[in-house]
Amino acid sequence: MYIDSSSQRTGYIARLLSPPMQRTRAKCLQFWYHMYGSTVGSLSVYKLVTPTRGRQIWRMSGNLGDEWLVAQVSVWSPLRSYNIAFQARVGNGSNGDIAIDDVVVFNGRCASPGELHVTVTILLVLFNLKMKHLHFLNEQNKKKNVS
């Protein structure tokens, strides 16, 4: 989805609606977004349980620079199916654009930044232990071959 404010009026909305999604205890919605320009508006994500009823689950506004950023949002809906709606709103002026790309939904809740750090740290420690163990075994084999 892409919206450019140079040809739109202030407050103009672009909306992208997902297909119906099955009820779930936890999904992780991940997407890349780009919000650039001095008068860029806002980008919101909604979980809709009916076409007219839902709640905002993520929002960003303002100029974030000329770069792509990644967002992750955990989505729960254990009782009903739902839709995800991306909504971009034009800001006050003609110098701004908003885009989203690479939208993916994973099973399970999104990892918090702290959880990801702990997981990576544990994997690195395990890798280092394995490497030390392999080095030790290699040294033992060298000693056996010399004797």
Side-chain angles (χ1 to χ4, degrees):
M1 178 174 77
Y2 175 77
I3 186 169
D4 178 6
S5 64
S6 64
S7 60
Q8 308 299 332
R9 293 187 317 215
T10 299
Y12 179 84
I13 293 174
R15 182 178 274 185
L16 179 66
L17 187 63
S18 76
M21 303 184 78
Q22 297 300 315
R23 63 187 184 166
T24 183
R25 293 212 179 269
K27 295 277 188 191
C28 179
L29 170 67
Q30 177 180 290
F31 59 96
W32 288 82
Y33 64 101
H34 185 273
M35 298 174 68
Y36 181 58
S38 60
T39 60
V40 73
S42 63
L43 176 63
S44 300
V45 179
Y46 295 88
K47 181 186 82 172
L48 303 175
V49 292
T50 71
T52 58
R53 201 176 109 225
R55 69 178 186 91
Q56 183 175 298
I57 58 174
W58 184 89
R59 184 176 190 277
M60 192 63 62
S61 63
N63 182 9
L64 300 177
D66 191 9
E67 62 182 310
W68 285 91
L69 304 167
V70 67
Q72 288 188 329
V73 184
S74 292
V75 181
W76 283 269
S77 189
L79 302 177
R80 304 178 81 170
S81 61
Y82 62 98
N83 295 82
I84 297 294
F86 290 88
Q87 181 175 292
R89 182 182 300 268
V90 171
N92 296 323
S94 61
N95 183 19
D97 60 74
I98 299 172
I100 62 168
D101 199 2
D102 295 331
V103 178
V104 182
V105 178
F106 299 104
N107 287 324
R109 67 181 176 84
C110 301
S112 70
E115 288 178 75
L116 182 58
H117 176 73
V118 169
T119 301
V120 170
T121 302
I122 289 170
L123 290 175
L124 288 173
V125 168
L126 291 174
F127 176 77
N128 286 334
L129 288 173
K130 183 72 171 176
M131 292 306 292
K132 286 179 183 178
H133 182 71
L134 290 174
H135 179 74
F136 173 78
L137 291 176
N138 190 30
E139 291 299 316
Q140 292 298 318
N141 285 337
K142 283 182 186 177
K143 288 179 184 177
K144 286 182 184 177
N145 292 336
V146 171
S147 318

